[in-house]
Amino acid sequence: MSRSAHPAGPRHADVLPEGHYTAPPTDLNALDSKVWSRTVARNADGAVTVGGIEVARLTEEFGTPAYILDESDFRARCRAWAHAFGPDADVFYAGKAFLSRAVVRWLKEEGLNLDVCSGGELTCALDAGMPAERIAFHGNNKTVAEIERAVTVGVGRIVLDSFQEIARVAHVAQRLGKRQRVQIRVTVGVEAHTHEFIATAHEDQKFGIALAGGEAAEAVRRALALDGLELIGIHSHIGSQIFDMAGFEVSARRVVGLLAAVRDEHGVELPEIDLGGGLGIAYTSDDDPREPHEIAKALGDIVTRECEAAGLATPRISVEPGRAIVGPSAFTLYEVGTIKPLEGLRTYVSVDGGMSDNIRTALYDAEYSVALVSRASDAEPMLVRVVGKHCESGDIVVRDAFLPSDLAPGDLIAVPATGAYCRSMASNYNHALRPPVVAVRDGQARVIVRRETEEDLLRLDVG
Ligand code: LLP
């Protein structure tokens, strides 16, 4: 996703500093459908609407900052993934990207399954009525209490992440008189081309059991020997925000290689493989993500081909997209506060949120785009850095972008593609109140996660 520094632009053309930006867009009022959810549009007055509702109305009712989640867009993406993979595969939405009870209900209605990775996510899923058999339970360090709960409620699968966990889950299942369906998460030695902190399938990291050196084969041996476990397949997740399908192809090939080795050694054909999540989305107009049907075809073809070559029946495939479903479905709405032009550098635009509602820019150098949404403007573009209100200079929401030079305090701006890993990674830094999630659909808006209050903060602080 590297973008070259581009010193061209109609304003300050001779003095634009180094940065990760391309030339200013020709039309700052345009809303690129790659980064905005599908019901977002500008009305005749130039204001942005979502689900038919003007953003100023949302602000009046719900305040700023706020995450605005386009329910129709979310549901359409669920359907696109379910349809692309078809009845012979399973799509598990990765709840870590964003989870709430409303979202669980939507997933259930749209026929998706759910991947959870903590007792808290499991509680949310069950409370909202997701059938336990449609839940996969992940994590590199599940507690015994979490395992007991997952086995007791009957989750569809537990994804085993270590040798100790194989023994732990088997022990719990046996004690509870159950046989738990499990997959083994393997690391396939693929390092997806993405930020180091969010690449997970190379060997030097905490997740999974390495294929290399025969560890994964040993894990299968142990799991098959334990009465409390029903080994249904192999799992691999290679990283995040990946555009290049080559990593998935290598992963699929290696996982199928393990299935063949298991068949040869044990005479058992494991019936499922899970290729994880990690499919990239467009955060800026420079990103070109693949469509679900292209991804499904690429993965299906490679698995079928490799299985044919190995003389295996094609296993049932599952995938776990989180970001690719919820990421593009939401934007964060902010009110502009202080505007500080730094001559010869850029203009700092401070908003009423920041790293407490979007840590991704600070943590991963993530790139975002931004637009003025309360009105249209024909003013010249100015190079801006959108920053938050926190006491930290790394408190950046959008590192480099262009906004109209007549931007003024009180304007509303929105950062698109913030549906994934923003609310779920939000914090109370500086005693910030985490923003609400407002779901919008067909002219109706409703809060699905309310704004925190100062009372909420004080309630936890028991003196
Ligand atoms: N499956 C497993 C086993 C995972 O670990 C993850 C993400 C997913 C599925 C979903 O991946 P997705 O399709 O959403 O990329 N906080 C980081 C992302 C961490 C992802 C962790 N695991 C970020 O904000 O980019």
Side-chain angles (χ1 to χ4, degrees), residues 94 96-97 115 138 185 198 200 207 235 237 239-241 276-279 283 320-324 360 364 420-421 425:
K96 65 208 83 178
D115 139 13
H138 277 275
R185 176 165 174 177
I198 51 178
T200 54
F207 291 107
H235 180 285
H237 171 78
S240 282
Q241 186 58 7
L279 290 317
Y283 284 102
E320 300 169 339
R323 185 192 322 265
R360 298 193 67 261
Y364 311 120
Y421 304 107
M425 293 175 79

Side-chain angles (χ1 to χ4, degrees), residues 2-334:
S2 68
R3 290 199 270 168
S4 53
H6 196 304
R11 196 179 140 95
H12 307 315
D14 47 341
V15 290
L16 284 178
E18 283 288 300
H20 287 255
Y21 51 89
T22 50
T26 41
D27 179 6
L28 280 179
N29 298 316
L31 299 164
D32 185 348
S33 62
K34 272 204 289 188
V35 296
W36 294 92
S37 67
R38 51 200 83 184
T39 76
V40 168
R42 264 188 211 276
N43 65 17
D45 296 332
V48 167
T49 63
V50 52
I53 306 178
E54 212 177 287
V55 288
R57 232 190 79 205
L58 293 172
T59 313
E60 274 159 33
E61 198 170 341
F62 306 107
T64 52
Y67 303 103
I68 310 298
L69 178 56
D70 185 339
E71 181 181 340
S72 317
D73 185 273
F74 182 96
R75 286 180 182 269
R77 285 177 205 280
C78 289
R79 282 197 287 273
W81 278 89
H83 185 255
F85 279 85
D88 298 330
D90 298 297
V91 179
F92 285 76
Y93 168 77
K96 65 208 83 178
F98 172 67
L99 199 63
S100 78
R101 289 185 287 189
V103 158
V104 173
R105 284 185 212 109
W106 302 345
L107 293 167
K108 193 177 149 198
E109 287 164 14
E110 301 299 342
L112 266 62
N113 307 290
L114 178 61
D115 139 13
V116 301
C117 66
S118 70
E121 288 184 358
L122 181 60
T123 299
C124 180
L126 294 173
D127 192 79
M130 181 59 87
E133 62 272 16
R134 282 167 62 182
I135 298 175
F137 193 38
H138 277 275
N140 68 301
N141 188 23
K142 306 169 192 79
T143 66
V144 172
E146 285 173 328
I147 294 167
E148 279 170 354
R149 176 117 183 280
V151 173
T152 304
V153 301
V155 297
R157 63 175 71 155
I158 294 181
V159 182
L160 301 172
D161 204 86
S162 66
F163 286 106
Q164 288 180 341
E165 197 172 78
I166 292 171
R168 226 173 258 153
V169 173
H171 182 73
V172 169
Q174 232 173 350
R175 186 156 44 79
L176 295 171
K178 302 233 185 183
R179 192 147 185 260
Q180 177 61 51
R181 287 160 59 87
V182 295
Q183 291 187 337
I184 292 173
R185 176 165 174 177
V186 301
T187 44
V188 293
V190 173
E191 185 173 347
H193 293 287
T194 183
H195 193 285
E196 188 190 354
F197 294 157
I198 51 178
T200 54
H202 56 294
E203 266 91 28
D204 189 6
Q205 43 85 24
K206 67 175 183 169
F207 291 107
I209 300 176
L211 266 180
E215 292 208 356
E218 174 59 18
V220 170
R221 233 167 263 139
R222 291 195 197 176
L224 286 175
L226 290 164
D227 288 340
L229 306 181
E230 181 190 347
L231 181 62
I232 58 165
I234 302 297
H235 180 285
S236 160
H237 171 78
I238 57 168
S240 282
Q241 186 58 7
I242 302 166
F243 291 108
D244 186 353
M245 293 303 290
F248 289 100
E249 294 206 0
V250 175
S251 163
R253 196 170 304 131
R254 292 188 182 164
V255 167
V256 171
L258 179 61
L259 294 190
V262 169
R263 188 255 337 258
D264 294 346
E265 183 178 341
H266 305 279
V268 173
E269 287 200 23
L270 299 177
E272 297 190 15
I273 66 173
D274 189 311
L275 295 172
L279 290 317
I281 63 164
Y283 284 102
T284 74
S285 297
D286 292 347
D287 297 327
D288 285 307
R290 299 282 193 100
E291 293 295 326
H293 68 266
E294 295 175 281
I295 294 162
K297 182 164 183 341
L299 295 182
D301 285 354
I302 180 84
V303 172
T304 307
R305 199 164 62 234
E306 293 297 315
C307 286
E308 268 170 18
L312 289 165
T314 306
R316 194 172 174 88
I317 300 176
S318 50
V319 285
E320 300 169 339
R323 185 192 322 265
I325 292 178
V326 72
S329 298
F331 60 84
T332 313
L333 195 53
Y334 299 103

